[in-house]
Amino acid sequence: MAHRFSSILPRTIVVALAASSLAGCGINSVPTAEENVNAKWGDVESQYQRRADLVPNLVATAKGAAASETTILTNVTNARAAATSINITTDDLSDPATFEKFQAAQNQLTQALGQLRTVVENYPQLQSQARFGQLMDELAGTENRINEARRDYNAAVQNYNTTIRTFPDAIGAKIFYGAKPKQAFTADAGAANAPKVDFDMAPAPKAAGANDNAAAPASSAAAN
């Protein structure tokens, strides 16, 4: 009995050591890090969908008071359609081309909504509508949550990418999972530049006694 027990003990030690070695080679850490990325990506998708759901009501409300701004309203509608037409799965998070296409479409919608905000400033009757004000507040809150979700997602991606590249986790990442780096969000193009304010969109008030010809250069000077 003692001999049998002594023969079993080494095998138990070997199995335990093997399991410990495998655990240290990314068997657990890699999928754990990937699941965290997937969860954070779900939060990003949820907030982008929330924003997309707000757009039709924003456009419909704006049409009543700013019907002449057809180009901008159409741009917002088209940008929303483009953004929602791109379906990206967690498998695509390692595909640079697909991820870049998704981000570009979302950035286009962000820019279009920025144009809509500029239009609102020129229509007091639109600003006075409680429903529109509520929608704009919801949009602002959603965009804040989008920024937070993107930041959390990028942090999860950084952790995952570091895990699959560093020893000893890189062994399991390559041999068992064939892991590839995940794509992170980058800053929007022009994000480092100060926004341009175009004062020509609203007529400049005329000074007393000034004629139309004198008012035009003043407006242009203000815009520059």
Side-chain angles (χ1 to χ4, degrees):
M1 176 67 73
H3 175 72
R4 182 179 179 184
F5 178 78
S6 62
S7 64
I8 293 175
L9 184 59
R11 289 199 297 269
T12 303
I13 294 174
V14 169
V15 171
L17 290 174
S20 177
S21 298
L22 288 174
C25 291
I27 296 298
N28 294 325
S29 59
V30 172
T32 298
E34 185 173 35
E35 285 303 315
N36 187 39
V37 171
N38 294 344
K40 298 304 182 185
W41 175 250
D43 293 340
V44 171
E45 283 191 310
S46 176
Q47 296 307 324
Y48 273 133
Q49 183 60 54
R50 178 182 174 87
R51 181 173 73 167
D53 292 342
L54 287 171
V55 170
N57 287 333
L58 277 168
V59 172
T61 307
K63 280 182 178 179
S68 60
E69 303 292 347
T70 54
T71 299
I72 289 179
L73 295 177
T74 300
N75 287 344
V76 172
T77 300
N78 291 343
R80 177 193 182 275
T84 56
S85 68
I86 301 176
N87 297 317
I88 184 169
T89 68
T90 53
D91 293 334
D92 297 321
L93 299 180
S94 296
D95 182 355
T98 301
F99 193 87
E100 182 179 356
K101 185 178 180 181
F102 175 85
Q103 181 174 350
Q106 295 296 341
N107 289 348
Q108 183 180 4
L109 178 53
T110 299
Q111 294 169 5
L113 288 169
Q115 293 177 336
L116 179 60
R117 290 190 186 89
T118 303
V119 168
V120 172
E121 297 174 0
N122 298 322
Y123 293 87
Q125 66 273 33
L126 184 55
Q127 298 181 55
S128 65
Q129 292 186 26
R131 174 58 175 161
F132 189 80
Q134 178 185 355
L135 289 170
M136 291 299 288
D137 287 343
E138 290 184 28
L139 177 62
T142 299
E143 290 186 333
N144 287 336
R145 286 190 288 271
I146 287 173
N147 289 334
E148 293 175 2
R150 283 173 48 143
R151 183 171 60 248
D152 292 344
Y153 167 79
N154 278 358
V157 167
Q158 181 182 23
N159 178 66
Y160 173 82
N161 289 347
T162 300
T163 298
I164 68 172
R165 291 180 59 191
T166 53
F167 183 84
D169 296 324
I171 298 174
K174 182 176 182 179
I175 296 176
F176 295 103
Y177 300 113
K180 298 179 181 179
K182 304 291 186 183
Q183 298 300 305
F185 286 101
T186 57
D188 298 347
N193 300 325
K196 179 181 178 181
V197 179
D198 188 357
F199 291 101
D200 281 338
M201 294 192 67
K206 295 182 181 180
N211 57 33
D212 292 340
N213 292 333
S219 176
S220 299
N224 296 326

